[in-house]
Amino acid sequence: MYIKSNKRKLQAANTRQNIYRSASYLITQRGFDNVTVEEIAENAGVSVGAFYHHFKSKEYIIAHYFKNLDLAYQQFFNEFLETPLTQNLSSIYKIMIFMIFAVKVSSYKGSDYLRIFYVSALKDQKLNSEMSGRDRIYFKVMRNLIETAIKHGELAGNNDIDPEVLINNLWTISRGCIIGWAMDRYTEDVCIVLRSCLFFFMKGLTGNKYPSEEDTRYCNKNKLFDKIEAYYEEIAPKLASHQI
């Protein structure tokens, strides 16, 4: 009985994965509005009923991609921010690096994916709650970095700072940059927009000590942003094809 139960779960996971990949391919090739549920199901080799068993709507296909980003966030934290390569950086600088990486992978699929997702989230409170839940890995990583920054006295008015309020503020900045980029279809790199916004916020947060000379020097010497870009180029296609 146990073996049969596991086999059914594996089959269900494979079917869901197959539907997602089929939808992702068709949407990427033809655009979200030009693909029907029937076409996704046919391409995946399943019934329309099977599609709706695994996904509430086409929009939930898009949401599935963004939920999967947490895997990339955790991997980046473990393999980049918790290694000797970045151990000499301040936590406040690591926050900036993490947020830039998060925005890069979020925008990998393009502005249409982001536009559709956020419009859907505005219409569907359950979806919005799932994506904004503070138990997501994104928020856990941010909480870790912020609490470490407070512990090391990196922020002005250190004792008066509520980590959860700061998480909300930084999340609002990040989300605002992404939504603006997606809605207005900026030609400018969304990460440049985010870095500009963060620069002024972080300066106020640290009492005009951001970025420190030590962080800037270390970052330039070790070509950290080139390494982040290389890491992103490696991980983003795997994430898009659901290989991580």
Side-chain angles (χ1 to χ4, degrees), residues 190-208:
V190 65
C191 293
I192 294 175
V193 177
L194 176 61
R195 285 188 74 175
S196 176
C197 293
L198 282 178
F199 178 78
F200 295 104
F201 184 84
M202 295 297 203
K203 281 187 92 64
L205 192 63
T206 60
N208 217 33

Side-chain angles (χ1 to χ4, degrees), residues 3 6 26 61 70 79-80 89 103 113 130 150 176 178 196-197 244:
I3 294 174
N6 274 355
L26 291 174
I61 292 284
D70 273 351
E79 298 180 1
F80 206 92
L89 291 175
V103 164
Y113 254 63
E130 286 178 8
I150 292 172
I178 291 173
S196 176
C197 293
I244 64 170

Side-chain angles (χ1 to χ4, degrees), residues 6-181:
N6 274 355
K7 187 176 180 181
R8 281 196 294 269
K9 288 179 181 178
L10 182 60
Q11 287 173 337
N14 287 339
T15 299
R16 181 179 174 85
Q17 184 84 314
N18 193 29
I19 293 170
Y20 170 75
R21 286 177 175 167
S22 172
S24 183
Y25 172 77
L26 291 174
I27 291 169
T28 301
Q29 292 295 311
R30 292 159 47 187
F32 182 84
D33 296 328
N34 299 318
V35 177
T36 66
V37 168
E38 289 75 14
E39 288 170 326
I40 294 170
E42 181 180 355
N43 188 263
V46 302
S47 67
V48 171
F51 174 94
Y52 284 113
H53 176 73
H54 291 282
F55 295 98
K56 183 178 177 181
S57 65
K58 266 198 316 178
E59 286 76 11
Y60 271 69
I61 292 284
I62 305 295
H64 182 69
Y65 169 74
F66 286 103
K67 286 179 182 178
N68 235 30
L69 293 180
D70 273 351
L71 299 174
Y73 300 152
Q74 185 68 68
Q75 195 166 314
F76 181 72
F77 180 74
N78 293 341
E79 298 180 1
F80 206 92
L81 295 180
E82 287 284 277
T83 65
L85 178 64
T86 57
Q87 67 181 358
N88 293 325
L89 291 175
S90 67
S91 293
I92 200 72
Y93 205 79
K94 287 183 180 181
I95 290 170
M96 180 270 292
I97 288 175
F98 176 71
M99 289 180 68
I100 286 175
F101 175 79
V103 164
K104 282 186 79 67
V105 294
S106 295
S107 60
Y108 177 75
K109 281 281 195 176
S111 61
D112 277 348
Y113 254 63
L114 286 162
R115 177 177 52 82
I116 293 160
F117 168 70
Y118 279 110
V119 169
S120 301
L122 284 170
K123 294 178 182 177
D124 190 328
Q125 185 56 47
K126 182 174 181 291
L127 175 61
N128 186 44
S129 296
E130 286 178 8
M131 298 307 297
S132 301
R134 293 310 190 255
D135 58 340
R136 282 188 57 198
I137 291 173
Y138 175 90
F139 296 108
K140 289 180 179 179
V141 171
M142 289 291 285
R143 190 173 292 112
N144 178 305
L145 293 172
I146 288 168
E147 289 177 350
T148 303
I150 292 172
K151 180 180 177 181
H152 292 165
E154 296 177 18
L155 310 181
N158 220 37
N159 295 330
D160 300 323
I161 293 173
D162 182 340
E164 297 306 314
V165 171
L166 187 49
I167 287 171
N168 289 338
N169 289 341
L170 291 169
W171 171 242
T172 299
I173 291 172
S174 177
R175 191 162 50 174
C177 288
I178 291 173
I179 293 174
W181 179 80

Side-chain angles (χ1 to χ4, degrees), residues 195-239:
R195 285 188 74 175
S196 176
C197 293
L198 282 178
F199 178 78
F200 295 104
F201 184 84
M202 295 297 203
K203 281 187 92 64
L205 192 63
T206 60
N208 217 33
K209 295 177 181 178
Y210 171 89
S212 71
E213 290 184 10
E214 292 83 359
D215 282 339
T216 302
R217 192 182 308 115
Y218 184 84
C219 186
N220 291 337
K221 179 183 177 182
N222 291 279
K223 299 181 179 179
L224 283 189
F225 284 104
D226 288 344
K227 290 173 181 175
I228 292 171
E229 185 66 29
Y231 186 87
Y232 162 77
E233 293 293 342
E234 177 186 345
I235 200 174
K238 292 179 182 179
L239 179 67

